[in-house]
Amino acid sequence: MSLPRNYPFTFTGNGGEYFRIWIVNIALTLVTLGIYSAWAKVRTQRWFYGHTILDNTAFSYLATPIQILKGRLIAAALLIIYYIASHTAPLIAGIIMLAIMIGSPWIIVLALRFAARQSSYRGLRLNFSGTVGEAAVVYLLLPITTVLTAGLSLPYVAYRQVRFLASNYGYGETQSEYDGSLKPFWGVYLLALALLLIPMGILGYAVYSAAQLTAMGLPKEIVSAAVASTAITGVVALYLTIPILSAFVQARKANLFYNHIALGTIRFRSTQRSRDMIWIYISNIVLIFITIGLFIPFAKVRLARYRAEHLTLLAEDLGVFTTQAQEAVSATGSEISDLFDFDIGIA
Amino acid sequence: MNFTGEYYDGQSSMGIAVTLSFDTNTLFVRNDTLSLDVPFDALHLDPQVGTSRSIIYLHKGGEIHSSDHDALNLLERSLPHKSPERIARRLESKLLYAVAALILTVSIIAGFLRYGLPEIARYAANHLPPSTEEQIGSQALSSLDQLYLNKSTLSQTRQSSIRSELADFCRRTECPQYRLLFRNSTSLGANAFALPGHTVVITDQLIEKSHNDEEILAVLSHELGHIRYNHILRTLLQSMGSGVVLVVITGDISNFSDLAAGLPAVLLQQGYSRDMEDEADTYALHSLQNARISPQRFADILTRIDTKGIKTATLFSSHPDTQKRIQAFIRATEKH
């Protein structure tokens, strides 16, 4: 019996190269009134997959532009019908929105399955076998409880979502399993909540003092001038906290995802650090702002490289996986969820 | 020419080291135990993107990987099916083309924002249900009332005399439907502005600054011009539209819902375009002439507000070239 070996992930792409691809994608998409966006997506994905290397072998993205285009056209048609209806027949628009809400677990599962099956490594596709029922629980039902419990159930919801993803992937015929527990999620979200209290406290204080001053009978112009600086500090603090929080949660969730997923005998080790991620997020935002968006491709590459370089695969042998043929999945689920923005990403 | 790679059969993740070569219509895959001849119409090679590794896909299943870019490029050129993506790849390959793409992108966006969006906004503003417009207007008014405006300190008699003078003015010239509101505001100073839903607000401070009521009518006729041509809604829709453009370009639809929440703020920050100001000025000029009021009145009050240096006067409207605007009214007066 041999000991597991470490296989580090590497990312070999650089920002300058992606910048050219990115700007050509945008220009061609504009010139073709959006049609090229399907090619743009496929070329972008192929570039990122092709530069993600494990054991000297690149990942491959299999979707064709035509598949993506079909999905996009259906999603766009739905969106247009919805917008027209929301102005002329609110009832129909409401029904469409309701149908999408109810159908969202199905769309999520389709999107995850499409993304997985278009990803291949060493000639074998990934797969996703999560059920629509469980998706409905973790993406529809449980999020409602966070509202009812004022956010206290958030760690549990996040845990169930991560578990749903991590226990339903497959590679060849091998199914993934998740052995993480709920406890570390509590740590992540309690810390996040504590951070959020800082700007919320400042804003609350501004509202409180405004109410006090108004009660004292001061005219509102003086009141708003008096609390303006506190309120602005609060808002600035809030805008600073949001990227810090999302970077922190992203990093911790990625670690909790990868470090507790088992693919047969294969394990992963993810070593993303919150402070690195916070630095990357904030410096990316500042640089994107300063360059009026031109830094976006460099920012994406930076993030992809950090994620790859902090992920290691532990296995005895990568050549032992096998499969049987799989049926095709359409891109519609993936594209509908793209357009209506369901947050289902993990890492 | 020979080059090396790994062959994956699509059934197992075991890679097999192979030597590859090709002639005009077949790819030969070889090693000690394997001998595979793949005709070109039974394989597929994704056009390369940048320096990322491209992969040969076999139609019957299986992948061949190679890190030999030059050999793969040669193979791609020998394949009978030329992908239209090779044009994209040529564009992506040179910095010069990237710069051209950047210039093209910026000009298309700028052109759309300057010429396309205003037309779309005009169409949408004219087809928006009146109830929606009312709703936007009353929302904006109530947030303004909370932040900047107080109850007017003018007497009821003074208010109704201005109202009846405006009504009389509108009998002598063609006015859009309107609702006139009086407010006191030290923070906004001498100001008048139009809101969606046919509402005109005039501050006590402006009325104090006027030397006679014809000057008030002159200012109000300018604001009626904004109402007549739906400038407020058009401006609102334009700034929303440019937000959408931004979102589409950066590919982040999730910010879309945030845009709608910022409407009152947009209304405050966004001035009318210069074209719209000109249009409202022209309307005011014609109305004043129709009502037999000297256009000089508009020039007078504009000069007074401007030279007194009340900065907040530009909060609601971008009046960049007051002198030029005044000149137009003075010229009209002289012609009279």
Side-chain angles (χ1 to χ4, degrees):
Chain A
M1 178 174 165
S2 55
L3 285 170
R5 274 181 56 195
N6 283 355
Y7 295 93
F9 283 79
T10 46
F11 188 78
T12 54
N14 69 64
E17 185 175 302
Y18 180 50
F19 175 81
R20 298 201 298 267
I21 294 165
W22 178 79
I23 192 68
V24 168
N25 277 346
I26 292 178
L28 289 179
T29 299
L30 286 175
V31 169
T32 58
L33 301 174
I35 304 289
Y36 187 76
S37 70
W39 277 261
K41 176 174 178 169
V42 167
R43 286 186 76 72
T44 304
Q45 293 287 70
R46 278 214 301 262
W47 189 81
F48 276 97
Y49 276 60
H51 275 304
T52 306
I53 312 285
L54 177 66
D55 189 29
N56 199 27
T57 309
F59 283 77
S60 38
Y61 182 71
L62 306 173
T64 62
I66 297 296
Q67 265 175 307
I68 303 289
L69 187 64
K70 274 186 201 155
R72 267 191 190 184
L73 288 177
I74 293 172
L78 212 57
L79 201 66
I80 289 168
I81 293 171
Y82 172 74
Y83 272 105
I84 292 173
S86 65
H87 284 293
T88 53
L91 188 69
I92 295 177
I95 291 170
I96 294 176
M97 205 63 222
L98 197 71
I100 289 172
M101 278 271 288
I102 293 169
S104 62
W106 175 75
I107 297 173
I108 289 170
V109 167
L110 275 188
L112 286 166
R113 207 184 312 169
F114 181 78
R117 288 203 188 171
Q118 302 310 329
S119 309
S120 135
Y121 178 66
R122 291 172 164 254
L124 294 191
R125 289 170 186 236
L126 296 185
N127 193 7
F128 184 80
S129 56
T131 62
V132 175
E134 194 180 346
V137 171
V138 300
Y139 289 111
L140 264 188
L141 220 58
L142 287 177
I144 295 172
T145 66
T146 60
V147 182
L148 298 177
T149 59
L152 274 180
S153 67
L154 206 57
Y156 181 68
V157 179
Y159 163 67
R160 286 293 303 269
Q161 290 180 349
V162 167
R163 199 180 75 181
F164 172 65
L165 293 173
S167 60
N168 281 306
Y169 276 105
Y171 177 58
E173 278 159 358
T174 314
Q175 275 303 120
S176 67
E177 281 166 50
Y178 188 68
D179 59 11
S181 66
L182 170 62
K183 215 169 137 195
F185 285 85
W186 272 100
V188 175
Y189 281 91
L190 283 183
L191 203 60
L193 213 63
L195 257 169
L196 196 61
L197 282 179
I198 300 170
M200 286 308 180
I202 300 174
L203 281 175
Y205 177 72
V207 172
Y208 171 77
S209 38
Q212 287 265 302
L213 293 173
T214 314
M216 283 160 65
L218 288 172
K220 55 190 150 199
E221 282 158 12
I222 293 173
V223 172
S224 40
V227 299
S229 57
T230 320
I232 290 169
T233 313
V235 170
V236 170
L238 187 66
Y239 275 100
L240 274 176
T241 317
I242 287 170
I244 291 177
L245 275 184
S246 47
F248 165 72
V249 170
Q250 287 274 326
R252 289 298 179 83
K253 253 166 86 170
N255 289 349
L256 287 171
F257 176 87
Y258 284 114
N259 290 335
H260 296 282
I261 192 172
L263 197 61
T265 55
I266 285 182
R267 305 288 308 208
F268 294 87
R269 195 168 61 229
S270 171
T271 52
Q272 293 185 17
R273 292 196 308 184
S274 313
R275 74 190 102 139
D276 295 343
M277 214 50 152
I278 289 168
W279 163 243
I280 292 175
Y281 265 50
I282 291 195
S283 53
N284 275 354
I285 290 171
V286 169
L287 286 167
I288 287 171
F289 190 76
I290 291 174
T291 59
I292 341 168
L294 292 184
F295 191 73
I296 290 173
F298 297 90
K300 282 187 175 172
V301 167
R302 242 180 117 195
L303 211 54
R305 176 170 302 133
Y306 183 84
R307 282 175 174 153
E309 283 172 359
H310 288 81
L311 189 62
T312 306
L313 187 145
L314 309 160
E316 289 169 21
D317 187 357
L318 284 174
V320 297
F321 293 86
T322 54
T323 189
Q324 282 154 5
Q326 292 167 332
E327 82 248 39
V329 202
S330 91
T332 315
S334 163
E335 292 308 314
I336 289 178
S337 76
D338 253 19
L339 268 185
F340 287 92
D341 186 43
F342 290 113
D343 186 16
I344 44 175
I346 173 72
Chain B
M1 70 179 277
N2 286 341
F3 60 108
T4 57
E6 287 88 46
Y7 168 65
Y8 298 95
D9 64 4
Q11 305 294 313
S12 127
S13 61
M14 181 74 80
I16 303 162
V18 289
T19 308
L20 301 154
S21 58
F22 55 88
D23 64 11
T24 48
N25 50 24
T26 314
L27 176 73
F28 307 105
V29 185
R30 296 280 185 274
N31 77 357
D32 295 344
T33 54
L34 180 88
S35 172
L36 206 61
D37 293 356
V38 189
F40 281 169
D41 52 14
L43 65 81
H44 164 78
L45 176 68
D46 275 337
Q48 206 184 335
V49 193
T51 58
S52 71
R53 300 191 188 182
S54 49
I55 293 158
I56 303 166
Y57 299 98
L58 308 184
H59 287 176
K60 66 172 187 58
E63 295 178 1
I64 296 168
H65 293 229
S66 170
S67 46
D68 194 334
H69 285 305
D70 297 334
L72 288 175
N73 273 338
L74 266 177
L75 173 63
E76 192 189 338
R77 255 175 265 148
S78 320
L79 293 178
H81 304 291
K82 299 275 182 268
S83 163
E85 283 184 52
R86 67 184 194 281
I87 300 165
R89 196 176 69 200
R90 186 170 310 150
L91 294 177
E92 289 159 3
S93 66
K94 289 226 167 60
L95 192 61
L96 180 71
Y97 293 141
V99 171
L102 180 63
I103 293 170
L104 181 70
T105 301
V106 170
S107 9
I108 289 178
I109 295 170
F112 179 73
L113 292 179
R114 177 71 184 86
Y115 302 104
L117 197 58
E119 281 311 308
I120 295 171
R122 184 202 302 271
Y123 179 84
N126 293 336
H127 288 81
L128 213 62
S131 58
T132 314
E133 194 182 334
E134 289 290 334
Q135 210 183 337
I136 296 171
S138 63
Q139 232 161 26
L141 182 65
S142 71
S143 61
L144 286 174
D145 271 340
Q146 265 170 25
L147 291 170
Y148 301 106
L149 305 175
N150 293 298
K151 210 165 165 291
S152 172
T153 52
L154 294 181
S155 69
Q156 281 303 320
T157 25
R158 181 77 180 112
Q159 288 188 18
S160 45
S161 93
I162 293 173
R163 273 183 212 288
S164 65
E165 274 178 76
L166 185 60
D168 185 49
F169 174 82
C170 283
R171 271 191 289 277
R172 284 177 281 158
T173 183
E174 197 201 315
C175 288
Q177 181 201 341
Y178 68 88
R179 181 168 68 122
L180 180 63
L181 298 175
F182 296 93
R183 290 288 188 273
N184 184 22
S185 175
T186 45
S187 50
L188 298 184
N191 214 324
F193 49 90
L195 292 175
H198 304 272
T199 306
V200 180
V201 178
I202 186 165
T203 64
D204 296 353
Q205 284 71 12
L206 186 92
I207 292 170
E208 280 161 26
K209 277 239 152 51
S210 66
H211 287 178
N212 55 59
D213 288 0
E214 285 190 350
E215 287 183 359
I216 299 172
L217 289 179
V219 169
L220 289 177
S221 71
H222 172 86
E223 295 308 325
L224 288 177
H226 284 315
I227 287 181
R228 164 77 176 74
Y229 297 108
N230 238 336
H231 287 163
I232 318 102
L233 265 187
R234 277 164 56 189
T235 305
L236 196 68
L237 291 170
Q238 274 181 41
S239 48
M240 267 178 76
S242 37
V244 172
V245 169
L246 199 78
V247 166
V248 169
I249 298 301
T250 57
D252 189 357
I253 306 274
S254 62
N255 294 335
F256 190 74
S257 49
D258 300 340
L259 286 173
L263 285 193
V266 164
L267 197 64
L268 275 173
Q269 287 152 10
Q270 190 73 31
Y272 296 116
S273 73
R274 184 181 288 217
D275 290 350
M276 290 183 182
E277 287 301 343
D278 285 347
E279 206 171 27
D281 274 355
T282 312
Y283 172 86
L285 189 61
H286 285 304
S287 304
L288 291 174
Q289 285 170 339
N290 284 343
R292 306 246 167 270
I293 293 174
S294 164
Q296 181 69 39
R297 300 283 180 252
F298 191 76
D300 288 347
I301 185 130
L302 214 59
T303 319
R304 207 171 303 126
I305 294 171
D306 197 52
T307 53
K308 291 288 183 288
I310 295 166
K311 289 199 183 84
T312 46
T314 56
L315 186 60
F316 288 95
S317 42
S318 52
H319 294 146
D321 234 341
T322 312
Q323 275 310 314
K324 215 168 137 194
R325 294 176 61 203
I326 291 170
Q327 285 307 318
F329 281 84
I330 292 174
R331 269 200 307 277
T333 316
E334 284 160 357
K335 259 188 269 169
H336 233 53

